[in-house]
Amino acid sequence: MTVLQQFRDINQKIKQYEEALAVIYWDLRTGAPRKGMDIRSEVIGTLSSEMFRLSTSQELGQLLTELESEHNWEQLDELNRRLVQETRKEYDRSVKIPPELYQRYVVLTAQAENNWELCKQNNDYASFQPYLEQIIELTNQMIDLWGVKETRYDTLLDQYEPGMTVQQLDQIFGELRDELVPLAEQIASSPHQPRTDFLEGQFDIAAQKEYSLFILKQMGFDFDAGRLDESVHPFATGLNPHDVRITTRYLADDVTSALFGTIHEGGHALYEQNISEQLVGTTLCTGTSMGIHESQSRFWENVIGRSRPFWNRYYRDLQQRFPQLAEIDVDTFYRGNNIVKPSLIRIEADELTYNLHIIIRYEIEKMIFNEGLQAKDLPRVWNEKYKQYLGIEPPSDAEGVLQDVHWSGGAFGYFPSYSLGNMYAAQFMNTLQQQMPDIWQKVEAGELHPIKDWLAERIYQYGRLKSPSELVEQITNEPLNPAYLAQYLKEKYTDIYKL
Amino acid sequence: MTVLQQFRDINQKIKQYEEALAVIYWDLRTGAPRKGMDIRSEVIGTLSSEMFRLSTSQELGQLLTELESEHNWEQLDELNRRLVQETRKEYDRSVKIPPELYQRYVVLTAQAENNWELCKQNNDYASFQPYLEQIIELTNQMIDLWGVKETRYDTLLDQYEPGMTVQQLDQIFGELRDELVPLAEQIASSPHQPRTDFLEGQFDIAAQKEYSLFILKQMGFDFDAGRLDESVHPFATGLNPHDVRITTRYLADDVTSALFGTIHEGGHALYEQNISEQLVGTTLCTGTSMGIHESQSRFWENVIGRSRPFWNRYYRDLQQRFPQLAEIDVDTFYRGNNIVKPSLIRIEADELTYNLHIIIRYEIEKMIFNEGLQAKDLPRVWNEKYKQYLGIEPPSDAEGVLQDVHWSGGAFGYFPSYSLGNMYAAQFMNTLQQQMPDIWQKVEAGELHPIKDWLAERIYQYGRLKSPSELVEQITNEPLNPAYLAQYLKEKYTDIYKL
């Protein structure tokens, strides 16, 4: 067996453990019996440890060194070079963490995730706090082992958006805020506020499910290579391109919440379902970064799903299922679904204030890791920031600090990806419109497949073969530029609010 | 770390891999996307191989030898002694199989199971035959490696019912047949044939589900430690006592098929849910043999679920859900559900002819391994035996040789467990009635918990701490005796058919 084959075998085995764990996590979040959670956490710990052992083995280190030698390197094709580079990066990172620490971290976060759901249900931050304290402590230990970049929080950011820094984000988020705050003020003082009364009421859940499935099919989601389920916190998980699973959460009193959740996760799913077959069985077979992944979920959810042409086509199918909408015309419906209004729950926020939700989490995470903010103070700081940025205060921790699953999974540094996703999405859309000038006629005709194909050809197929910055520059001919998001939002809301 | 701790750690790890695989198999059978099956089979292969490596490692062999030394052995408590003995038995067995052969077998059976469903749907034995040929070939290779007992098939039997032999089974099945055949003839010629017309019709599936859940709750199934789903071939899987999952299959034109399936799998589930906490995390934490496991599923399904007192209590709840039964009295319903009639599908057979279905599979399996019967000839032999034993011939392979999942999973030697289960169940019931003389009054009052508790105390809690023969002798004061099943069936049908 050649060096390359040995390396590919280990890499494939790691990918197989990832798939096993993905099934197990999916199962935990979609209805696994409550009492089995503790033992399941230990199972996750054992499998993750084995995967970690494979990822940090001396054998792998030696194979990497051999493949990096000039003689071998020259013979590698692009895919294998990229695979070696990415594996090297993760190897150097992982090998610094002692296996015992890693296993503790995995078991802890699995238990915390299981308990988070219950704590949120019971509005019980006190029971959740000890988990968070331990997760923060272990994360800090790992930052020390990985090595502190410019700041401690920079070390975490790099995991989700390679190369991204606090300095860059402070600037990008600063620019974005400077554009969005006056826009939000103009919107608030516009006399043309959308009607939203019709969005309240009782909406049959079976009909909501059916409509969600219909829209997913329209987007080109392959149901022979995926499924839609329900969970408290919607998510997408790509086991491999032939098995990509998403979840949503149906609310009887909200006709679009589950739908936009479905479209959002559906965007993630289209990415994972359309990765090139040649990457299957390698660790390159997933999205290239969380930011690019979010660009796809938010592109489909907002840029397409919350557009006027989309509803010009699909509103009639919604009206058929919900007769109470018969008297509401498409313009009223479209504007109502794009109301800008400060709110408590991130995943239900409008496209504009959404970015403020992200800035709050970003600032809190920086405080935790760069200023030593403690878990016990999180509810207070959370509520203060919501007051400051959005002018509203959560009446309960369930609607405040406990609303998101991310921290229970240890995903500190992830949240900025959501706003990065918004920015990437707007920038990609700018190019897409230039290259496909009749895009909105296509959407109005219910032809979403050309859009999916455009994205698949330029983004999806590559998986992790190209970095986020490579993708953005190759597709749009410039680096990430927050101006496109600002411009997109201005145009959209100038129309809706007649500014 | 002591020798014992090292041994327990490896054993726990094996159990954790078993749980991971159980989740993955459960997922495959309850709706995993079709296109992901091939990659999933490889994941199963990798995890199974790692589990196999753990089970056959030199390290484990050495630890076993050390624990078996007189000095160490004397210090072990009963649980650990049993764990060492059982692990030794499996070690000696597994260590004979080369890892490559094992992995091939696992991947092959996973693929075969996935394809079986489609082949059955399409009535396509030709597409299934190559899988079966390979499975038989690999099984034969393993028999040679394990060592041939009295006959080749004996080697397979011992896996599912330790100590059971072809010689014993030939005799037991012979005795049983000698009792059952004249009974079946008496029944066939009785003028008091039950009505069954009311069992046909349209029965709302949502109401069937609700009723199945209701009965499971009555049996004492813990829904915080288990769940009920749907699959083509119903099954039960105990990940651990806190996560036990069962499935059933709802038929719109049959009011009791799914229900009796649910009760059957529910019996397996009660066993697994009530294993003692001290066995959790060890490979003793499961049923002691397939025969004893089947005794519990069939006890609940038939001895309790198809009894007159059961329906005296629960029929009114069924009538409420299905108004078309309003005119059918409980006696008519009870008798209709106990009609004895040769039929094609094992899992829908009555309690009497069921044993003939098993004898057919037993004889065919013996022919495959002891006489070299080939996969291509199975449909022919199958159909001939159904003609011979039951007087009917399957109109299609889907209703014939393709009906059961077992062979696609390589489970040759398993089928006899079902009839052994019937015999154990009748023998246990005989003792239970002596010790709980008011058992039928309890059932009529809807008090099923005392029965569950009786079984949990004598059987369930022990997991694999006691062997099948130990259990039977300790509970009933004699070895397995097929006369109890014959007696039970005679009494039951003498009443129903007024013989």
Side-chain angles (χ1 to χ4, degrees):
Chain A
M1 195 156 54
T2 67
V3 176
L4 180 61
Q5 274 172 328
Q6 287 174 26
F7 165 72
R8 290 289 298 255
D9 277 359
I10 294 178
N11 188 264
Q12 185 180 27
K13 212 167 167 184
I14 291 170
K15 188 71 193 172
Q16 289 169 334
Y17 272 83
E18 275 179 12
E19 171 156 341
L21 283 162
V23 178
I24 288 170
Y25 275 113
W26 172 86
D27 178 73
L28 275 180
R29 294 175 186 176
T30 55
R34 187 176 62 73
K35 290 183 180 171
M37 301 252 171
D38 284 343
I39 295 178
R40 184 67 72 83
S41 300
E42 291 167 17
V43 171
I44 288 172
T46 292
L47 291 190
S48 302
S49 293
E50 176 59 17
M51 192 169 88
F52 187 75
R53 195 192 61 74
L54 287 166
S55 315
T56 56
S57 68
Q58 269 202 325
E59 190 191 355
L60 179 60
Q62 280 165 0
L63 290 167
L64 284 171
T65 305
E66 285 185 60
L67 289 168
E68 287 157 349
S69 75
E70 205 182 316
H71 171 75
N72 280 323
W73 186 257
E74 276 171 9
Q75 295 174 33
L76 295 182
D77 62 13
E78 194 203 338
L79 189 161
N80 284 310
R81 284 187 180 182
R82 180 83 185 168
L83 192 57
V84 169
Q85 285 169 334
E86 291 292 307
T87 309
R88 162 61 72 192
K89 195 174 162 190
E90 283 150 29
Y91 179 82
D92 287 346
R93 188 180 172 91
S94 301
V95 86
K96 293 175 180 163
I97 306 295
E100 304 73 38
L101 175 59
Y102 181 75
Q103 174 144 17
R104 266 182 68 202
Y105 178 79
V106 169
V107 174
L108 175 64
T109 51
Q111 286 170 342
E113 280 201 56
N114 298 340
N115 280 282
W116 163 75
E117 215 165 293
L118 201 65
C119 293
K120 183 181 164 187
Q121 255 173 43
N122 300 342
N123 187 32
D124 177 9
Y125 183 75
S127 297
F128 189 63
Q129 185 184 315
Y131 289 105
L132 217 39
E133 280 165 1
Q134 290 176 67
I135 293 170
I136 291 169
E137 194 200 306
L138 296 196
T139 303
N140 267 317
Q141 286 180 31
M142 292 196 284
I143 291 173
D144 287 326
L145 291 162
W146 283 323
V148 175
K149 293 182 188 274
E150 291 174 45
T151 74
R152 298 182 71 78
Y153 188 57
D154 279 280
T155 307
L156 298 176
L157 276 179
D158 186 58
Q159 289 180 98
Y160 301 104
E161 204 62 17
M164 191 54 68
T165 63
V166 166
Q167 199 186 0
Q168 275 178 284
L169 272 186
D170 282 349
Q171 194 193 327
I172 287 171
F173 282 156
E175 280 179 37
L176 201 62
R177 197 168 33 198
D178 290 349
E179 296 275 5
L180 300 189
V181 169
L183 181 58
E185 283 166 8
Q186 273 186 287
I187 288 169
S189 60
S190 162
H192 304 284
Q193 295 294 322
R195 266 181 69 185
T196 57
D197 54 302
F198 59 86
L199 293 171
E200 284 160 32
Q202 285 299 307
F203 300 93
D204 179 50
I205 283 183
Q208 287 194 48
K209 279 188 198 181
E210 198 192 82
Y211 189 72
S212 281
L213 291 169
F214 164 67
I215 294 294
L216 268 184
K217 209 166 269 176
Q218 290 287 307
M219 289 167 65
F221 182 90
D222 180 353
F223 282 93
D224 284 332
R227 49 185 288 174
L228 172 65
D229 295 270
E230 294 176 48
S231 67
V232 175
H233 189 93
F235 68 96
T237 182
L239 281 56
N240 63 64
H242 308 300
D243 188 347
V244 179
R245 301 174 179 204
I246 63 177
T247 66
T248 192
R249 182 181 57 151
Y250 299 99
L251 302 175
D253 60 355
D254 189 325
V255 69
T256 49
S257 166
L259 173 68
F260 286 121
T262 301
I263 301 177
H264 177 98
E265 304 304 338
H268 285 303
L270 290 185
Y271 194 170
E272 294 283 328
Q273 282 189 336
N274 288 284
I275 295 173
S276 163
E277 199 59 32
Q278 63 170 337
L279 298 184
V280 168
T282 76
T283 53
L284 299 181
C285 193
T286 185
T288 190
S289 76
M290 293 307 148
I292 298 292
H293 234 307
E294 284 300 322
S295 81
Q296 294 314 299
S297 53
R298 305 191 68 74
F299 174 86
W300 284 100
E301 178 190 355
N302 293 328
V303 180
I304 301 298
R306 282 194 168 87
S307 72
R308 193 187 290 270
F310 181 86
W311 288 110
N312 283 346
R313 166 61 191 85
Y314 292 108
Y315 186 51
R316 59 176 179 266
D317 300 288
L318 191 73
Q319 282 179 312
Q320 267 177 13
R321 287 175 176 84
F322 301 103
Q324 61 261 63
L325 295 174
E327 303 297 308
I328 306 300
D329 66 24
V330 63
D331 184 64
T332 307
F333 183 82
Y334 163 69
R335 296 179 68 225
N337 272 293
N338 279 292
I339 189 168
V340 174
K341 199 179 168 188
S343 65
L344 293 170
I345 305 296
R346 175 184 61 83
I347 60 167
E348 288 162 12
D350 61 79
E351 291 181 68
L352 198 159
T353 60
Y354 187 93
N355 299 289
L356 299 174
H357 287 263
I358 296 307
I359 290 171
I360 289 172
R361 285 153 182 73
Y362 170 63
E363 291 185 357
I364 292 177
E365 290 186 346
K366 273 201 300 180
M367 287 170 76
I368 294 172
F369 293 98
N370 291 352
E371 298 165 28
L373 178 66
Q374 290 186 11
K376 71 174 165 49
D377 298 319
L378 283 175
R380 180 182 52 77
V381 174
W382 182 284
N383 294 350
E384 285 168 7
K385 291 216 176 264
Y386 264 78
K387 185 91 189 157
Q388 179 190 347
Y389 285 93
L390 287 149
I392 48 176
E393 216 166 336
S396 74
D397 290 332
E399 292 159 277
V401 68
L402 285 172
Q403 74 181 256
D404 286 314
V405 71
H406 304 59
W407 290 346
S408 62
F412 294 104
Y414 185 113
F415 279 114
S417 312
Y418 290 113
S419 277
L420 290 171
N422 288 336
M423 293 182 249
Y424 288 131
Q427 190 163 339
F428 290 143
M429 185 58 181
N430 183 65
T431 305
L432 173 53
Q433 277 181 302
Q434 286 164 13
Q435 296 181 3
M436 196 187 285
D438 62 343
I439 176 173
W440 291 123
Q441 286 96 300
K442 286 194 161 73
V443 172
E444 286 205 326
E447 293 171 24
L448 304 180
H449 285 236
I451 300 172
K452 187 202 81 179
D453 293 343
W454 191 92
L455 295 162
E457 192 189 327
R458 286 160 185 79
I459 303 172
Y460 302 165
Q461 64 160 318
Y462 293 111
R464 288 171 64 200
L465 262 187
K466 297 187 178 183
S467 72
S469 54
E470 279 170 345
L471 280 179
V472 174
E473 292 188 26
Q474 283 174 16
I475 296 168
T476 71
N477 287 318
E478 62 175 312
L480 176 62
N481 182 348
Y484 290 107
L485 178 60
Q487 183 193 334
Y488 158 81
L489 292 173
K490 259 185 220 165
E491 282 174 13
K492 180 165 189 169
Y493 294 118
T494 298
D495 169 50
I496 291 172
Y497 283 89
K498 308 193 200 312
L499 301 180
Chain B
M1 195 155 56
T2 68
V3 175
L4 180 60
Q5 276 172 327
Q6 287 174 20
F7 165 71
R8 289 289 298 254
D9 277 359
I10 294 178
N11 188 264
Q12 185 180 28
K13 213 167 166 184
I14 292 170
K15 187 72 191 172
Q16 288 169 335
Y17 271 84
E18 275 180 11
E19 171 157 340
L21 284 163
V23 177
I24 288 170
Y25 275 112
W26 174 86
D27 178 75
L28 274 180
R29 295 175 186 176
T30 56
R34 185 176 63 73
K35 290 184 181 171
M37 301 252 170
D38 284 343
I39 296 178
R40 184 69 72 81
S41 299
E42 292 168 16
V43 171
I44 288 172
T46 292
L47 291 191
S48 302
S49 292
E50 176 59 17
M51 193 170 89
F52 187 74
R53 195 191 61 73
L54 287 166
S55 314
T56 55
S57 69
Q58 268 201 327
E59 190 190 354
L60 180 60
Q62 280 166 3
L63 289 167
L64 284 171
T65 305
E66 284 186 59
L67 288 168
E68 287 158 349
S69 74
E70 205 182 316
H71 172 75
N72 281 322
W73 186 256
E74 276 170 8
Q75 296 174 33
L76 295 180
D77 63 12
E78 194 203 338
L79 189 161
N80 285 310
R81 284 187 181 182
R82 181 83 184 167
L83 192 57
V84 169
Q85 285 168 333
E86 291 293 308
T87 308
R88 161 62 71 193
K89 194 175 163 191
E90 283 151 28
Y91 179 83
D92 287 347
R93 189 179 172 90
S94 301
V95 86
K96 293 175 181 162
I97 306 296
E100 303 74 38
L101 175 59
Y102 181 74
Q103 175 144 16
R104 266 183 68 203
Y105 179 79
V106 169
V107 173
L108 175 64
T109 51
Q111 286 171 342
E113 279 201 55
N114 298 340
N115 280 282
W116 163 74
E117 215 166 292
L118 202 66
C119 293
K120 184 180 164 187
Q121 255 173 43
N122 300 342
N123 187 32
D124 178 9
Y125 183 76
S127 298
F128 188 64
Q129 184 183 315
Y131 288 105
L132 217 42
E133 279 165 2
Q134 290 177 66
I135 293 171
I136 291 169
E137 194 200 307
L138 295 196
T139 304
N140 267 317
Q141 285 181 32
M142 293 197 283
I143 292 173
D144 286 327
L145 291 161
W146 284 321
V148 175
K149 291 180 188 276
E150 291 174 47
T151 75
R152 299 183 70 79
Y153 188 57
D154 280 279
T155 307
L156 298 176
L157 276 180
D158 186 59
Q159 289 180 96
Y160 302 103
E161 204 64 17
M164 191 54 67
T165 64
V166 166
Q167 198 186 1
Q168 274 178 283
L169 272 186
D170 282 350
Q171 193 193 329
I172 288 170
F173 282 156
E175 280 179 37
L176 200 62
R177 197 168 31 197
D178 290 349
E179 295 275 4
L180 300 190
V181 169
L183 181 57
E185 283 166 7
Q186 273 186 287
I187 288 169
S189 60
S190 162
H192 303 284
Q193 295 295 322
R195 264 181 70 186
T196 57
D197 54 304
F198 58 88
L199 292 171
E200 283 160 31
Q202 285 298 306
F203 301 93
D204 180 51
I205 283 183
Q208 287 194 47
K209 281 188 196 182
E210 199 192 80
Y211 189 73
S212 280
L213 291 169
F214 164 68
I215 293 295
L216 268 184
K217 208 166 268 175
Q218 291 287 309
M219 287 167 65
F221 182 90
D222 180 354
F223 281 93
D224 284 332
R227 50 185 286 174
L228 172 65
D229 295 271
E230 294 176 49
S231 68
V232 175
H233 190 92
F235 68 96
T237 181
L239 282 56
N240 63 64
H242 308 299
D243 189 348
V244 179
R245 302 174 179 204
I246 62 176
T247 66
T248 192
R249 182 182 57 152
Y250 300 99
L251 302 175
D253 60 354
D254 190 325
V255 69
T256 49
S257 165
L259 172 68
F260 287 121
T262 301
I263 300 177
H264 177 97
E265 304 303 338
H268 284 303
L270 290 186
Y271 194 170
E272 294 283 329
Q273 282 190 337
N274 289 284
I275 295 173
S276 163
E277 199 59 32
Q278 63 169 338
L279 299 184
V280 169
T282 76
T283 52
L284 298 181
C285 194
T286 186
T288 190
S289 76
M290 294 305 147
I292 298 292
H293 234 307
E294 285 300 323
S295 80
Q296 294 313 300
S297 54
R298 304 190 68 74
F299 174 85
W300 283 100
E301 178 190 355
N302 293 329
V303 180
I304 302 298
R306 282 195 169 85
S307 73
R308 194 187 289 267
F310 181 85
W311 289 108
N312 283 345
R313 166 63 191 83
Y314 292 108
Y315 186 50
R316 58 177 179 265
D317 300 288
L318 191 73
Q319 282 179 312
Q320 267 177 13
R321 287 175 176 86
F322 301 102
Q324 61 260 62
L325 295 175
E327 304 298 308
I328 305 300
D329 66 23
V330 63
D331 184 63
T332 307
F333 183 82
Y334 164 69
R335 295 178 69 226
N337 272 292
N338 280 292
I339 188 168
V340 174
K341 199 179 167 189
S343 64
L344 293 170
I345 306 295
R346 176 184 60 85
I347 60 167
E348 288 162 13
D350 61 79
E351 292 181 66
L352 199 159
T353 60
Y354 187 94
N355 300 289
L356 299 175
H357 288 263
I358 297 307
I359 290 170
I360 289 173
R361 285 152 180 74
Y362 169 65
E363 292 185 357
I364 292 177
E365 290 187 345
K366 273 200 302 180
M367 286 170 76
I368 294 172
F369 293 98
N370 291 353
E371 297 165 29
L373 178 67
Q374 291 186 12
K376 71 173 165 52
D377 297 319
L378 283 176
R380 182 182 51 78
V381 175
W382 182 284
N383 294 350
E384 285 168 6
K385 290 215 176 267
Y386 265 78
K387 185 92 190 158
Q388 178 189 350
Y389 285 94
L390 288 148
I392 49 177
E393 215 166 338
S396 74
D397 290 331
E399 293 158 277
V401 68
L402 284 172
Q403 73 180 257
D404 286 312
V405 72
H406 303 59
W407 290 346
S408 62
F412 295 103
Y414 184 112
F415 279 114
S417 311
Y418 291 112
S419 277
L420 290 171
N422 289 336
M423 293 182 248
Y424 288 132
Q427 191 163 339
F428 290 143
M429 185 58 183
N430 183 65
T431 304
L432 173 54
Q433 277 181 301
Q434 285 165 14
Q435 295 182 5
M436 195 187 287
D438 62 343
I439 176 172
W440 291 122
Q441 286 96 301
K442 286 193 161 73
V443 172
E444 287 205 328
E447 293 172 25
L448 305 180
H449 286 236
I451 300 171
K452 187 201 79 176
D453 294 342
W454 191 92
L455 294 162
E457 191 189 328
R458 286 161 185 78
I459 303 173
Y460 302 166
Q461 65 160 318
Y462 293 111
R464 287 170 65 199
L465 263 186
K466 297 186 179 185
S467 71
S469 54
E470 279 170 346
L471 280 179
V472 174
E473 291 189 26
Q474 283 174 17
I475 296 169
T476 70
N477 287 319
E478 62 174 313
L480 175 62
N481 181 348
Y484 291 106
L485 177 60
Q487 183 193 335
Y488 158 81
L489 291 173
K490 261 186 220 166
E491 281 173 14
K492 180 165 188 169
Y493 294 118
T494 298
D495 169 49
I496 292 172
Y497 283 88
K498 310 194 197 312
L499 301 179

